[in-house]
C-alpha cells in the first residue's frame, strides 16, 4: 500500500509556482493577486481562508482578505463582488462558502466575473470544463487529478466510483475522470443518497473517490483488494485529546481500508493540501492571462 502524500506534492507545486512568480517579477510583471471574501466566522471557513492566505505568501502572490459580518446583506456582498470584478489589480478572487442562509450562493457565484473565478464555480467555467475547453478547474477535483498524475496511477479504462454529487467535488471530478485525457479516460459511476446497491457498486471499483462528508462511510467490505482510494472527507469530529477539541475525519474507515488498497490518501494530508494548491495554480494562470487573455 502506498500512502499518497498530498502535503509533499502540494509543497513541490507551490515551490514551482513561487519560482515562476519570481521570474515574472524579474521580467517586470506584477505579482499575481488573489482576493478572498469571508462572510461570518464559521470555524472551518476561517481555517481554510487562513491557509489560502498563507499559501499566497509561499507562492509570492499578493493577497487581500475582505471580511464581512454574518449579518451582511446579499446586496452588500454583491457590491463587494462587483468591486473586485472591476479592480484591475485583482487577478482572481473567491467567495468562501458556505454563506449565511439569507444569501443565495448561486446568485453570488454567478455575479463573479468568470475570468476572475479562480474557484472554477461559475457556470461558464463548469460548462467549459465539461466539454474539455481551457478554464479554471475547480480546486478539489483538479487537486485529485494532479495527485493521480504525479503518482502515475493508471486510470484509463478503470472503473471509477465517485461517492457524492456535490457541485464542488462529486460532479466535476466525475466529469474530469471520464474526459478523454490522462488521468481520466475512466468508466465513471456516480453514487449518491438515492443509489441502490451502493456497497456492491463500490466493490466493483478500481478507484473510489469518496466525497460525501460522512466520516468512516467507506468500510473494508466495500473495497476490492488493490483499489485506489481518494478520500475527500474533512468532517470535524470531537476529540478531547486535542487543544482545538476536534480532529478531521475522512469519509473512509482508514485503519481497516488502508491495508487492502494499492494507494490511499490520508486525512489530513491527502487531498486537502492539494485543493489550496490548485487555487494557487489558477491564480497564477489568472495573473498570466493564460486562460482568458486580458484586453
Ligand atoms: N468551501 C469549501 N471548499 C471551498 C472551495 O474550494 N472554495 C470556496 N470558495 N469555498 C469552499
Amino acid at each position: 500500500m502506498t500512502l499518497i502524500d498530498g502535503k509533499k506534492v502540494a509543497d513541490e507545486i507551490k515551490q514551482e509556482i513561487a519560482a515562476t512568480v519570481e521570474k515574472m517579477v524579474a521580467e517586470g510583471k506584477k505579482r499575481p493577486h488573489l482576493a478572498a471574501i469571508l462572510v461570518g466566522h464559521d470555524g472551518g471557513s476561517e481555517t481554510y481562508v487562513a491557509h489560502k492566505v498563507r499559501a499566497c505568501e509561499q507562492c509570492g502572490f499578493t493577497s487581500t482578505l475582505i471580511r464581512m459580518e454574518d449579518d451582511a446583506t446579499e446586496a452588500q456582498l454583491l457590491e463587494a463582488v462587483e468591486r473586485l470584478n472591476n479592480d484591475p489589480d485583482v487577478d482572481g478572487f473567491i467567495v468562501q462558502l458556505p454563506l449565511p442562509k439569507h444569501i443565495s450562493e448561486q446568485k453570488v457565484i454567478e455575479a463573479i466575473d468568470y475570468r476572475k473565478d479562480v474557484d472554477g464555480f461559475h457556470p461558464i467555467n463548469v460548462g467549459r470544463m465539461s466539454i474539455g475547453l481551457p478554464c479554471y478547474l475547480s480546486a478539489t477535483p483538479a487537486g485529485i487529478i494532479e495527485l493521480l498524475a504525479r503518482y502515475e496511477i493508471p486510470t484509463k479504462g478503470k472503473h471509477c466510483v465517485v461517492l457524492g454529487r456535490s457541485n464542488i467535488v462529486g460532479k466535476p471530478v466525475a466529469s474530469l475522470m471520464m474526459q478523454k485525457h490522462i488521468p481520466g479516460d475512466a468508466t465513471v459511476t456516480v453514487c449518491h443518497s438515492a443509489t441502490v446497491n451502493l456497497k456492491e457498486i463500490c466493490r466493483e471499483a478500481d478507484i473510489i473517490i469518496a466525497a460525501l462528508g460522512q466520516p468512516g462511510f467507506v468500510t473494508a467490505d466495500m473495497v476490492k483488494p488493490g483499489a485506489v482510494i481518494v478520500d475527500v472527507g474533512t468532517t470535524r469530529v470531537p476529540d478531547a485529546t486535542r487543544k482545538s477539541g476536534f480532529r478531521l475525519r475522512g469519509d473512509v474507515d482508514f485503519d481497516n481500508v488502508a491495508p487492502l488498497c494499492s494507494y490511499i490518501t490520508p486525512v489530513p494530508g491527502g487531498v486537502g493540501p492539494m485543493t489550496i494548491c490548485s487555487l494557487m495554480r489558477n491564480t497564477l494562470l489568472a495573473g498570466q492571462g493564460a486562460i482568458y487573455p486580458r484586453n
Side-chain angles (χ1 to χ4, degrees):
M1 183 273 290
T2 301
L3 195 62
I4 297 179
D5 191 342
K7 182 166 182 330
K8 180 166 157 268
V9 174
D11 285 343
E12 283 165 13
I13 294 174
K14 281 185 281 187
Q15 280 170 20
E16 290 163 19
I17 293 173
T20 307
V21 169
E22 290 321 310
K23 227 187 257 167
M24 286 168 69
V25 172
E27 288 165 3
K29 298 182 181 129
K30 86 173 192 62
R31 291 181 185 278
H33 183 174
L34 175 70
I37 303 178
L38 175 58
V39 184
H41 299 275
D42 174 79
S45 294
E46 291 269 3
T47 307
Y48 286 135
V49 168
H51 285 160
K52 288 171 186 179
V53 169
R54 215 180 109 229
C56 281
E57 286 162 16
Q58 292 168 332
C59 292
F61 297 162
T62 307
S63 69
T64 301
L65 175 57
I66 296 162
R67 283 180 167 275
M68 302 178 77
E69 286 306 317
D70 280 305
D71 59 359
T73 63
E74 187 176 272
Q76 285 168 332
L77 178 53
L78 290 171
E79 267 169 40
V81 165
E82 203 47 34
R83 272 196 295 277
L84 293 175
N85 282 341
N86 294 320
D87 184 340
D89 197 68
V90 172
D91 299 295
F93 67 97
I94 64 160
V95 178
Q96 187 66 28
L97 305 179
L99 292 171
K101 297 258 176 301
H102 63 279
I103 299 178
S104 159
E105 288 187 355
Q106 198 53 36
K107 204 164 169 185
V108 171
I109 288 169
E110 290 189 40
I112 296 172
D113 182 337
Y114 68 92
R115 293 165 299 182
K116 294 191 176 189
D117 166 40
V118 283
D119 256 333
F121 291 168
H122 191 284
I124 290 183
N125 282 311
V126 176
R128 289 176 67 93
M129 176 201 66
S130 71
I131 56 173
L133 293 176
C135 62
Y136 295 120
L137 290 178
S138 94
T140 302
I144 293 168
I145 297 292
E146 185 67 36
L147 278 181
L148 296 172
R150 295 229 171 191
Y151 277 80
E152 297 180 357
I153 295 171
T155 57
K156 182 174 180 169
K158 302 292 182 191
H159 184 199
C160 174
V161 171
V162 176
L163 301 177
R165 56 178 159 183
S166 70
N167 290 342
I168 293 185
V169 185
K171 282 182 197 142
V173 82
S175 175
L176 289 174
M177 287 300 287
M178 72 175 181
Q179 295 273 353
K180 205 172 167 102
H181 58 51
I182 306 289
D185 232 358
T187 303
V188 179
T189 304
V190 180
C191 295
H192 46 75
S193 52
T195 298
V196 179
N197 291 343
L198 187 143
K199 277 194 182 208
E200 286 73 13
I201 294 168
C202 287
R203 271 200 289 271
E204 301 275 304
D206 302 304
I207 303 167
I208 295 178
I209 300 176
L212 300 147
Q214 291 190 39
F217 181 89
V218 178
T219 47
D221 60 330
M222 294 162 70
V223 175
K224 179 165 83 175
V228 175
I229 307 288
V230 177
D231 190 350
V232 187
T234 51
T235 306
R236 288 178 165 199
V237 295
D239 184 343
T241 68
R242 304 279 174 103
K243 212 168 86 185
S244 62
F246 68 86
R247 69 189 164 90
L248 290 184
R249 209 163 159 228
D251 287 347
V252 177
D253 173 12
F254 184 90
D255 291 346
N256 293 307
V257 168
L260 289 172
C261 305
S262 54
Y263 293 89
I264 187 165
T265 62
V267 175
V271 173
M274 290 302 293
T275 296
I276 292 180
C277 182
S278 305
L279 176 66
M280 298 299 115
R281 177 170 285 166
N282 281 347
T283 304
L284 175 65
L285 293 170
Q288 293 170 324
I291 307 274
Y292 302 115
R294 290 157 183 278
N295 306 327

mmCIF file of all heavy atoms in Angstrom, residues 26-65:
data_model
loop_
_atom_site.group_PDB
_atom_site.id
_atom_site.type_symbol
_atom_site.label_atom_id
_atom_site.label_comp_id
_atom_site.label_asym_id
_atom_site.label_seq_id
_atom_site.Cartn_x
_atom_site.Cartn_y
_atom_site.Cartn_z
ATOM 1 N N ALA A 26 10.926 39.397 -12.065
ATOM 2 C CA ALA A 26 12.229 39.810 -12.619
ATOM 3 C C ALA A 26 12.063 40.386 -14.026
ATOM 4 O O ALA A 26 12.837 41.235 -14.455
ATOM 5 C CB ALA A 26 13.187 38.616 -12.637
ATOM 6 N N GLU A 27 11.007 39.940 -14.714
ATOM 7 C CA GLU A 27 10.741 40.456 -16.068
ATOM 8 C C GLU A 27 9.897 41.737 -16.026
ATOM 9 O O GLU A 27 9.462 42.232 -17.064
ATOM 10 C CB GLU A 27 9.972 39.396 -16.889
ATOM 11 C CG GLU A 27 10.830 38.211 -17.288
ATOM 12 C CD GLU A 27 9.995 37.011 -17.769
ATOM 13 O OE1 GLU A 27 8.747 37.125 -17.845
ATOM 14 O OE2 GLU A 27 10.612 35.974 -18.045
ATOM 15 N N GLY A 28 9.656 42.229 -14.809
ATOM 16 C CA GLY A 28 8.926 43.492 -14.676
ATOM 17 C C GLY A 28 7.416 43.329 -14.627
ATOM 18 O O GLY A 28 6.680 44.313 -14.662
ATOM 19 N N LYS A 29 6.937 42.077 -14.528
ATOM 20 C CA LYS A 29 5.477 41.875 -14.443
ATOM 21 C C LYS A 29 5.034 41.970 -12.986
ATOM 22 O O LYS A 29 5.856 41.810 -12.079
ATOM 23 C CB LYS A 29 5.107 40.504 -15.014
ATOM 24 C CG LYS A 29 5.479 40.382 -16.483
ATOM 25 C CD LYS A 29 5.065 39.039 -17.044
ATOM 26 C CE LYS A 29 5.472 38.939 -18.491
ATOM 27 N NZ LYS A 29 6.217 37.716 -18.774
ATOM 28 N N LYS A 30 3.756 42.169 -12.792
ATOM 29 C CA LYS A 30 3.273 42.285 -11.410
ATOM 30 C C LYS A 30 3.025 40.898 -10.807
ATOM 31 O O LYS A 30 2.837 39.916 -11.533
ATOM 32 C CB LYS A 30 2.022 43.157 -11.357
ATOM 33 C CG LYS A 30 0.715 42.458 -11.612
ATOM 34 C CD LYS A 30 -0.428 43.418 -11.353
ATOM 35 C CE LYS A 30 -1.770 42.732 -11.308
ATOM 36 N NZ LYS A 30 -1.965 41.742 -10.271
ATOM 37 N N ARG A 31 3.050 40.870 -9.471
ATOM 38 C CA ARG A 31 2.750 39.605 -8.784
ATOM 39 C C ARG A 31 1.270 39.281 -8.945
ATOM 40 O O ARG A 31 0.440 40.185 -8.827
ATOM 41 C CB ARG A 31 3.047 39.740 -7.279
ATOM 42 C CG ARG A 31 4.510 39.858 -6.962
ATOM 43 C CD ARG A 31 4.773 39.957 -5.476
ATOM 44 N NE ARG A 31 6.203 40.177 -5.283
ATOM 45 C CZ ARG A 31 7.115 39.215 -5.300
ATOM 46 N NH1 ARG A 31 6.740 37.948 -5.443
ATOM 47 N NH2 ARG A 31 8.390 39.485 -5.149
ATOM 48 N N PRO A 32 0.935 38.003 -9.181
ATOM 49 C CA PRO A 32 -0.483 37.639 -9.208
ATOM 50 C C PRO A 32 -1.149 38.019 -7.880
ATOM 51 O O PRO A 32 -0.525 37.929 -6.821
ATOM 52 C CB PRO A 32 -0.450 36.119 -9.388
ATOM 53 C CG PRO A 32 0.859 35.840 -10.055
ATOM 54 C CD PRO A 32 1.816 36.854 -9.491
ATOM 55 N N HIS A 33 -2.383 38.455 -7.967
ATOM 56 C CA HIS A 33 -3.106 38.963 -6.792
ATOM 57 C C HIS A 33 -4.412 38.193 -6.621
ATOM 58 O O HIS A 33 -5.271 38.223 -7.493
ATOM 59 C CB HIS A 33 -3.368 40.469 -7.003
ATOM 60 C CG HIS A 33 -4.042 41.145 -5.844
ATOM 61 N ND1 HIS A 33 -4.238 42.507 -5.802
ATOM 62 C CD2 HIS A 33 -4.563 40.667 -4.679
ATOM 63 C CE1 HIS A 33 -4.861 42.836 -4.676
ATOM 64 N NE2 HIS A 33 -5.083 41.726 -3.981
ATOM 65 N N LEU A 34 -4.526 37.482 -5.478
ATOM 66 C CA LEU A 34 -5.745 36.742 -5.133
ATOM 67 C C LEU A 34 -6.469 37.467 -4.007
ATOM 68 O O LEU A 34 -5.853 37.815 -2.997
ATOM 69 C CB LEU A 34 -5.395 35.322 -4.662
ATOM 70 C CG LEU A 34 -6.571 34.470 -4.154
ATOM 71 C CD1 LEU A 34 -7.511 34.074 -5.295
ATOM 72 C CD2 LEU A 34 -6.073 33.199 -3.445
ATOM 73 N N ALA A 35 -7.753 37.686 -4.181
ATOM 74 C CA ALA A 35 -8.567 38.242 -3.094
ATOM 75 C C ALA A 35 -9.567 37.186 -2.635
ATOM 76 O O ALA A 35 -9.985 36.328 -3.424
ATOM 77 C CB ALA A 35 -9.291 39.497 -3.562
ATOM 78 N N ALA A 36 -9.910 37.245 -1.348
ATOM 79 C CA ALA A 36 -10.912 36.316 -0.806
ATOM 80 C C ALA A 36 -11.914 37.108 0.017
ATOM 81 O O ALA A 36 -11.520 38.019 0.759
ATOM 82 C CB ALA A 36 -10.234 35.261 0.073
ATOM 83 N N ILE A 37 -13.181 36.767 -0.147
ATOM 84 C CA ILE A 37 -14.220 37.370 0.701
ATOM 85 C C ILE A 37 -14.677 36.294 1.683
ATOM 86 O O ILE A 37 -15.044 35.183 1.279
ATOM 87 C CB ILE A 37 -15.428 37.863 -0.122
ATOM 88 C CG1 ILE A 37 -14.991 38.877 -1.186
ATOM 89 C CG2 ILE A 37 -16.478 38.470 0.797
ATOM 90 C CD1 ILE A 37 -16.143 39.389 -2.077
ATOM 91 N N LEU A 38 -14.622 36.642 2.964
ATOM 92 C CA LEU A 38 -15.078 35.723 4.012
ATOM 93 C C LEU A 38 -16.232 36.388 4.751
ATOM 94 O O LEU A 38 -16.056 37.457 5.350
ATOM 95 C CB LEU A 38 -13.915 35.416 4.968
ATOM 96 C CG LEU A 38 -14.243 34.565 6.194
ATOM 97 C CD1 LEU A 38 -14.820 33.212 5.793
ATOM 98 C CD2 LEU A 38 -12.999 34.361 7.056
ATOM 99 N N VAL A 39 -17.399 35.735 4.706
ATOM 100 C CA VAL A 39 -18.572 36.286 5.392
ATOM 101 C C VAL A 39 -18.798 35.485 6.668
ATOM 102 O O VAL A 39 -18.952 34.265 6.618
ATOM 103 C CB VAL A 39 -19.831 36.210 4.499
ATOM 104 C CG1 VAL A 39 -21.017 36.887 5.189
ATOM 105 C CG2 VAL A 39 -19.576 36.840 3.138
ATOM 106 N N GLY A 40 -18.800 36.165 7.813
ATOM 107 C CA GLY A 40 -19.064 35.498 9.085
ATOM 108 C C GLY A 40 -17.822 34.847 9.666
ATOM 109 O O GLY A 40 -16.688 35.128 9.247
ATOM 110 N N HIS A 41 -18.038 33.938 10.629
ATOM 111 C CA HIS A 41 -16.918 33.389 11.399
ATOM 112 C C HIS A 41 -16.989 31.870 11.518
ATOM 113 O O HIS A 41 -16.570 31.309 12.524
ATOM 114 C CB HIS A 41 -16.891 34.039 12.798
ATOM 115 C CG HIS A 41 -16.690 35.509 12.726
ATOM 116 N ND1 HIS A 41 -15.454 36.096 12.638
ATOM 117 C CD2 HIS A 41 -17.589 36.523 12.670
ATOM 118 C CE1 HIS A 41 -15.593 37.402 12.543
ATOM 119 N NE2 HIS A 41 -16.880 37.686 12.558
ATOM 120 N N ASP A 42 -17.501 31.203 10.499
ATOM 121 C CA ASP A 42 -17.529 29.734 10.508
ATOM 122 C C ASP A 42 -16.103 29.203 10.724
ATOM 123 O O ASP A 42 -15.153 29.624 10.050
ATOM 124 C CB ASP A 42 -18.079 29.263 9.144
ATOM 125 C CG ASP A 42 -18.005 27.754 9.003
ATOM 126 O OD1 ASP A 42 -18.873 27.077 9.570
ATOM 127 O OD2 ASP A 42 -17.059 27.258 8.359
ATOM 128 N N GLY A 43 -15.970 28.286 11.697
ATOM 129 C CA GLY A 43 -14.632 27.812 12.083
ATOM 130 C C GLY A 43 -13.858 27.202 10.927
ATOM 131 O O GLY A 43 -12.681 27.521 10.705
ATOM 132 N N GLY A 44 -14.539 26.326 10.166
ATOM 133 C CA GLY A 44 -13.882 25.672 9.034
ATOM 134 C C GLY A 44 -13.432 26.698 8.001
ATOM 135 O O GLY A 44 -12.295 26.660 7.520
ATOM 136 N N SER A 45 -14.325 27.648 7.690
ATOM 137 C CA SER A 45 -14.004 28.655 6.673
ATOM 138 C C SER A 45 -12.835 29.536 7.113
ATOM 139 O O SER A 45 -11.967 29.879 6.308
ATOM 140 C CB SER A 45 -15.230 29.526 6.394
ATOM 141 O OG SER A 45 -16.245 28.750 5.805
ATOM 142 N N GLU A 46 -12.824 29.899 8.409
ATOM 143 C CA GLU A 46 -11.708 30.721 8.930
ATOM 144 C C GLU A 46 -10.382 29.988 8.681
ATOM 145 O O GLU A 46 -9.404 30.582 8.240
ATOM 146 C CB GLU A 46 -11.867 30.948 10.442
ATOM 147 C CG GLU A 46 -13.022 31.843 10.837
ATOM 148 C CD GLU A 46 -12.627 33.311 10.942
ATOM 149 O OE1 GLU A 46 -11.470 33.646 10.647
ATOM 150 O OE2 GLU A 46 -13.519 34.119 11.298
ATOM 151 N N THR A 47 -10.378 28.684 8.987
ATOM 152 C CA THR A 47 -9.143 27.902 8.821
ATOM 153 C C THR A 47 -8.748 27.832 7.354
ATOM 154 O O THR A 47 -7.592 28.061 6.993
ATOM 155 C CB THR A 47 -9.350 26.469 9.372
ATOM 156 O OG1 THR A 47 -9.844 26.582 10.691
ATOM 157 C CG2 THR A 47 -8.069 25.670 9.368
ATOM 158 N N TYR A 48 -9.717 27.503 6.490
ATOM 159 C CA TYR A 48 -9.399 27.385 5.054
ATOM 160 C C TYR A 48 -8.836 28.690 4.518
ATOM 161 O O TYR A 48 -7.845 28.701 3.785
ATOM 162 C CB TYR A 48 -10.657 27.014 4.240
ATOM 163 C CG TYR A 48 -11.103 25.576 4.406
ATOM 164 C CD1 TYR A 48 -12.439 25.265 4.605
ATOM 165 C CD2 TYR A 48 -10.198 24.524 4.341
ATOM 166 C CE1 TYR A 48 -12.864 23.955 4.758
ATOM 167 C CE2 TYR A 48 -10.614 23.209 4.485
ATOM 168 C CZ TYR A 48 -11.947 22.935 4.697
ATOM 169 O OH TYR A 48 -12.363 21.641 4.845
ATOM 170 N N VAL A 49 -9.495 29.791 4.881
ATOM 171 C CA VAL A 49 -9.063 31.080 4.324
ATOM 172 C C VAL A 49 -7.664 31.443 4.859
ATOM 173 O O VAL A 49 -6.818 31.926 4.109
ATOM 174 C CB VAL A 49 -10.104 32.183 4.624
ATOM 175 C CG1 VAL A 49 -9.546 33.559 4.316
ATOM 176 C CG2 VAL A 49 -11.364 31.940 3.794
ATOM 177 N N ALA A 50 -7.416 31.150 6.137
ATOM 178 C CA ALA A 50 -6.073 31.419 6.688
ATOM 179 C C ALA A 50 -5.024 30.609 5.916
ATOM 180 O O ALA A 50 -3.941 31.127 5.591
ATOM 181 C CB ALA A 50 -6.041 31.068 8.173
ATOM 182 N N HIS A 51 -5.351 29.357 5.595
ATOM 183 C CA HIS A 51 -4.415 28.533 4.813
ATOM 184 C C HIS A 51 -4.201 29.106 3.413
ATOM 185 O O HIS A 51 -3.094 29.064 2.881
ATOM 186 C CB HIS A 51 -4.932 27.090 4.691
ATOM 187 C CG HIS A 51 -4.767 26.305 5.971
ATOM 188 N ND1 HIS A 51 -5.494 25.173 6.236
ATOM 189 C CD2 HIS A 51 -3.966 26.491 7.034
ATOM 190 C CE1 HIS A 51 -5.154 24.705 7.423
ATOM 191 N NE2 HIS A 51 -4.228 25.477 7.929
ATOM 192 N N LYS A 52 -5.266 29.646 2.843
ATOM 193 C CA LYS A 52 -5.159 30.207 1.488
ATOM 194 C C LYS A 52 -4.268 31.448 1.501
ATOM 195 O O LYS A 52 -3.432 31.632 0.616
ATOM 196 C CB LYS A 52 -6.558 30.529 0.934
ATOM 197 C CG LYS A 52 -7.342 29.266 0.580
ATOM 198 C CD LYS A 52 -8.801 29.518 0.236
ATOM 199 C CE LYS A 52 -9.533 28.190 0.045
ATOM 200 N NZ LYS A 52 -10.960 28.329 -0.268
ATOM 201 N N VAL A 53 -4.433 32.280 2.539
ATOM 202 C CA VAL A 53 -3.599 33.494 2.641
ATOM 203 C C VAL A 53 -2.136 33.090 2.811
ATOM 204 O O VAL A 53 -1.234 33.648 2.172
ATOM 205 C CB VAL A 53 -4.076 34.375 3.828
ATOM 206 C CG1 VAL A 53 -3.075 35.489 4.116
ATOM 207 C CG2 VAL A 53 -5.455 34.955 3.529
ATOM 208 N N ARG A 54 -1.899 32.056 3.645
ATOM 209 C CA ARG A 54 -0.507 31.604 3.856
ATOM 210 C C ARG A 54 0.091 31.024 2.567
ATOM 211 O O ARG A 54 1.238 31.284 2.218
ATOM 212 C CB ARG A 54 -0.462 30.569 4.979
ATOM 213 C CG ARG A 54 0.830 30.727 5.759
ATOM 214 C CD ARG A 54 0.975 29.761 6.892
ATOM 215 N NE ARG A 54 2.000 28.805 6.541
ATOM 216 C CZ ARG A 54 1.873 27.499 6.647
ATOM 217 N NH1 ARG A 54 0.762 26.970 7.098
ATOM 218 N NH2 ARG A 54 2.852 26.715 6.320
ATOM 219 N N ALA A 55 -0.728 30.284 1.845
ATOM 220 C CA ALA A 55 -0.243 29.705 0.577
ATOM 221 C C ALA A 55 0.114 30.815 -0.412
ATOM 222 O O ALA A 55 1.082 30.685 -1.169
ATOM 223 C CB ALA A 55 -1.299 28.772 -0.006
ATOM 224 N N CYS A 56 -0.646 31.909 -0.400
ATOM 225 C CA CYS A 56 -0.324 33.059 -1.278
ATOM 226 C C CYS A 56 1.069 33.583 -0.943
ATOM 227 O O CYS A 56 1.852 33.907 -1.843
ATOM 228 C CB CYS A 56 -1.338 34.180 -1.100
ATOM 229 S SG CYS A 56 -2.879 33.904 -1.975
ATOM 230 N N GLU A 57 1.365 33.693 0.349
ATOM 231 C CA GLU A 57 2.696 34.180 0.755
ATOM 232 C C GLU A 57 3.768 33.229 0.237
ATOM 233 O O GLU A 57 4.784 33.652 -0.309
ATOM 234 C CB GLU A 57 2.802 34.273 2.285
ATOM 235 C CG GLU A 57 2.032 35.445 2.862
ATOM 236 C CD GLU A 57 1.774 35.276 4.358
ATOM 237 O OE1 GLU A 57 2.413 34.434 5.016
ATOM 238 O OE2 GLU A 57 0.880 35.998 4.859
ATOM 239 N N GLN A 58 3.525 31.910 0.390
ATOM 240 C CA GLN A 58 4.519 30.921 -0.051
ATOM 241 C C GLN A 58 4.750 30.992 -1.559
ATOM 242 O O GLN A 58 5.850 30.713 -2.034
ATOM 243 C CB GLN A 58 4.059 29.502 0.333
ATOM 244 C CG GLN A 58 4.065 29.265 1.832
ATOM 245 C CD GLN A 58 3.337 27.970 2.195
ATOM 246 O OE1 GLN A 58 2.434 27.520 1.498
ATOM 247 N NE2 GLN A 58 3.732 27.367 3.310
ATOM 248 N N CYS A 59 3.712 31.364 -2.298
ATOM 249 C CA CYS A 59 3.827 31.415 -3.769
ATOM 250 C C CYS A 59 4.308 32.775 -4.268
ATOM 251 O O CYS A 59 4.508 32.954 -5.468
ATOM 252 C CB CYS A 59 2.479 31.103 -4.406
ATOM 253 S SG CYS A 59 1.967 29.398 -4.173
ATOM 254 N N GLY A 60 4.428 33.744 -3.372
ATOM 255 C CA GLY A 60 4.866 35.080 -3.802
ATOM 256 C C GLY A 60 3.741 35.924 -4.387
ATOM 257 O O GLY A 60 3.989 36.883 -5.113
ATOM 258 N N PHE A 61 2.490 35.557 -4.086
ATOM 259 C CA PHE A 61 1.344 36.331 -4.575
ATOM 260 C C PHE A 61 1.031 37.474 -3.615
ATOM 261 O O PHE A 61 1.331 37.406 -2.421
ATOM 262 C CB PHE A 61 0.064 35.482 -4.632
ATOM 263 C CG PHE A 61 0.101 34.320 -5.573
ATOM 264 C CD1 PHE A 61 -0.829 33.293 -5.440
ATOM 265 C CD2 PHE A 61 1.030 34.234 -6.604
ATOM 266 C CE1 PHE A 61 -0.835 32.210 -6.309
ATOM 267 C CE2 PHE A 61 1.033 33.156 -7.475
ATOM 268 C CZ PHE A 61 0.103 32.136 -7.318
ATOM 269 N N THR A 62 0.358 38.476 -4.128
ATOM 270 C CA THR A 62 -0.297 39.456 -3.278
ATOM 271 C C THR A 62 -1.647 38.866 -2.883
ATOM 272 O O THR A 62 -2.294 38.217 -3.716
ATOM 273 C CB THR A 62 -0.541 40.761 -4.077
ATOM 274 O OG1 THR A 62 0.698 41.165 -4.644
ATOM 275 C CG2 THR A 62 -1.111 41.856 -3.193
ATOM 276 N N SER A 63 -2.048 39.055 -1.616
ATOM 277 C CA SER A 63 -3.383 38.575 -1.247
ATOM 278 C C SER A 63 -4.134 39.652 -0.476
ATOM 279 O O SER A 63 -3.526 40.466 0.210
ATOM 280 C CB SER A 63 -3.302 37.295 -0.410
ATOM 281 O OG SER A 63 -2.779 37.563 0.855
ATOM 282 N N THR A 64 -5.446 39.639 -0.647
ATOM 283 C CA THR A 64 -6.304 40.576 0.080
ATOM 284 C C THR A 64 -7.450 39.777 0.679
ATOM 285 O O THR A 64 -8.086 38.988 -0.033
ATOM 286 C CB THR A 64 -6.913 41.627 -0.889
ATOM 287 O OG1 THR A 64 -5.846 42.319 -1.522
ATOM 288 C CG2 THR A 64 -7.796 42.617 -0.141
ATOM 289 N N LEU A 65 -7.670 39.959 1.974
ATOM 290 C CA LEU A 65 -8.804 39.290 2.627
ATOM 291 C C LEU A 65 -9.857 40.341 2.981
ATOM 292 O O LEU A 65 -9.560 41.306 3.680
ATOM 293 C CB LEU A 65 -8.325 38.558 3.888
ATOM 294 C CG LEU A 65 -9.417 37.923 4.740
ATOM 295 C CD1 LEU A 65 -10.258 36.939 3.935
ATOM 296 C CD2 LEU A 65 -8.808 37.212 5.956
#
